[in-house]
Amino acid sequence: MARLTKAQREWRPGMPKKRRSTKVMFASTVLVLEGFVAFFATLAVFGLRRDEFPPAVILSVGIVLGLVLVLTCAVLSKPWGVALGWILQLVLIFTGFIEPMMFVVGILFAVAWWYGIRTGIRIDREAAQRDREQAEWEAANPDGGEPEPRPQTP
């Protein structure tokens, strides 16, 4: 027997579909891309600096960082999720102390994160306003705003 999600259990006919957050979508996109970058940066550091750091440490830290970046997408809708994202932006920037090119990459991703959060909040606010205006219009026009049928002229 299939298990239903909370949203599926609470659904009733005629319920409007809940709008997805654009902020969460943009932030998730940045985090997933950072996860890939963390993985490939791990491979680069492994290849370039395995004499300076133990290979097991390089691979462990890099893979864990990549996984944490990707898994953070699941908590972005929670109040502390975006704060965790900001902390991970700093972690990615600070990886520049191990591989200097990561300072540039980390800063560019932090800018992308900031822009995605800022733009996503604005788009979500505008969508909520449109939804309110649509609900007001529907309440004022219960017949669906259908115009009266015009009389046929011969």
Side-chain angles (χ1 to χ4, degrees):
M1 178 170 207
R3 299 191 92 174
L4 299 177
T5 65
K6 180 181 175 190
Q8 290 171 327
R9 287 189 306 268
E10 294 175 354
W11 181 84
R12 300 290 175 257
M15 284 179 64
K17 184 177 179 184
K18 186 179 176 193
R19 187 182 292 268
R20 291 186 179 193
S21 171
T22 305
K23 175 186 83 170
V24 170
M25 183 182 62
F26 286 173
S28 294
T29 303
V30 172
L31 286 173
V32 168
L33 291 173
E34 287 176 332
F36 282 114
V37 166
F39 174 72
F40 289 117
T42 299
L43 295 178
V45 170
F46 178 76
L48 296 173
R49 301 182 188 257
R50 77 175 135 212
D51 297 336
E52 300 172 38
F53 303 103
V57 172
I58 294 171
L59 294 173
S60 305
V61 171
I63 290 171
V64 167
L65 177 59
L67 286 174
V68 169
L69 284 161
V70 172
L71 294 176
T72 300
C73 297
V75 296
L76 285 174
S77 57
K78 306 224 183 289
W80 51 271
V82 174
L84 177 58
W86 278 113
I87 292 167
L88 291 172
Q89 300 310 307
L90 291 175
V91 170
L92 194 66
I93 291 170
F94 289 150
T95 60
F97 288 112
I98 295 172
E99 177 54 47
M101 200 57 203
M102 289 303 291
F103 281 125
V104 175
V105 172
I107 289 170
L108 291 174
F109 267 114
V111 169
W113 172 262
W114 167 80
Y115 183 78
I117 295 293
R118 182 177 153 265
T119 305
I121 289 171
R122 181 180 52 81
I123 291 171
D124 287 343
R125 190 177 331 121
E126 291 169 0
Q129 177 64 29
R130 279 193 306 276
D131 290 345
R132 281 192 299 276
E133 290 172 0
Q134 180 69 30
E136 290 171 8
W137 186 88
E138 288 174 357
N141 300 289
D143 61 349
E146 297 289 327
E148 297 287 325
R150 287 192 252 163
Q152 298 275 336
T153 54

